[in-house]
Amino acid sequence: GGLSVGEPYAERIRVLDALNPLMPADRPRYLMGVGTPGDLVAAVRQGVDMFDCVLPTRNGRNGTLFTSRGKLNIRNMQYSGDQRPIDPECKCYTCRTFSRAYVRHLFKAREILGLQLATIHNLAFYLWLTRASREAILEHRFARWKAAILAALETDLTVTD
């Protein structure tokens, strides 16, 4: 069930737009299987309240980490000596405690801790993203926030960092 099972992005948006007025305004709206940070922000704009998806954990276990400045592939050589946290803005256990270089080392050494730390970070990032979305809505600045965060989320730090 759910969306994001192969239909084009435009079709997903069309379906959400059609369903939105049919859903009770006083009930939470759940969207299953939608997982990229940009997709979550777009769905929040369309009234979705809850999500579940394997993407943040699966991507974390494969070395893709989401940050407030875009995504990075921790396996890349450019992070071998990088002493910065995964995301300098993040306050999760991984970012407070370990450097990009160390997490990369764990992935390269095939240490399970690397997968765990990446998963912890990605889940913390998604929690931050949903909290920031809620805050922007409550402060009536969601449209501005959405434009800024979507631009950042599209950045591939492997190329620009």
Side-chain angles (χ1 to χ4, degrees):
L3 288 168
S4 288
V5 289
E7 78 282 344
Y9 177 78
E11 182 68 9
R12 179 177 355 133
I13 298 301
R14 188 189 68 73
V15 169
L16 288 174
D17 282 341
L19 287 175
N20 198 24
L22 303 174
M23 303 299 291
D26 64 336
R27 302 292 167 103
R29 296 166 188 205
Y30 167 68
L31 183 58
M32 178 163 55
V34 172
T36 69
D39 287 345
L40 264 66
V41 171
V44 165
R45 166 62 184 90
Q46 293 180 280
V48 175
D49 301 298
M50 298 184 300
F51 307 88
D52 79 80
C53 186
V54 301
L55 191 131
T57 55
R58 181 181 294 153
N59 279 24
R61 290 189 314 268
N62 286 296
T64 299
L65 300 170
F66 299 103
T67 78
S68 60
R69 297 178 180 149
K71 67 181 179 177
L72 61 87
N73 183 339
I74 200 65
R75 295 175 185 257
N76 287 3
M77 183 68 178
Q78 75 189 69
Y79 302 116
S80 63
D82 193 334
Q83 295 304 307
R84 295 176 293 171
I86 301 299
D87 185 346
E89 305 301 320
C90 183
K91 305 297 182 224
C92 78
Y93 172 73
T94 301
C95 290
R96 286 189 334 261
T97 313
F98 304 100
S99 69
R100 293 176 181 186
Y102 182 67
V103 175
R104 180 186 185 277
H105 159 73
L106 293 172
F107 267 88
K108 290 306 199 178
R110 298 181 184 229
E111 288 285 341
I112 193 78
L113 179 60
L115 284 64
Q116 293 169 329
L117 294 174
T119 298
I120 288 168
H121 168 75
N122 276 356
L123 291 175
F125 173 78
Y126 271 60
L127 182 58
W128 169 82
L129 184 66
T130 55
R131 284 180 175 158
S133 296
R134 177 179 168 75
E135 183 179 299
I137 290 167
L138 292 174
E139 294 174 359
H140 307 287
R141 58 179 178 81
F142 184 79
R144 265 181 302 139
W145 177 83
K146 177 182 171 236
I149 196 68
L150 288 179
L153 293 175
E154 293 301 316
T155 303
D156 181 352
L157 294 177
T158 305
V159 175
T160 62
D161 195 32

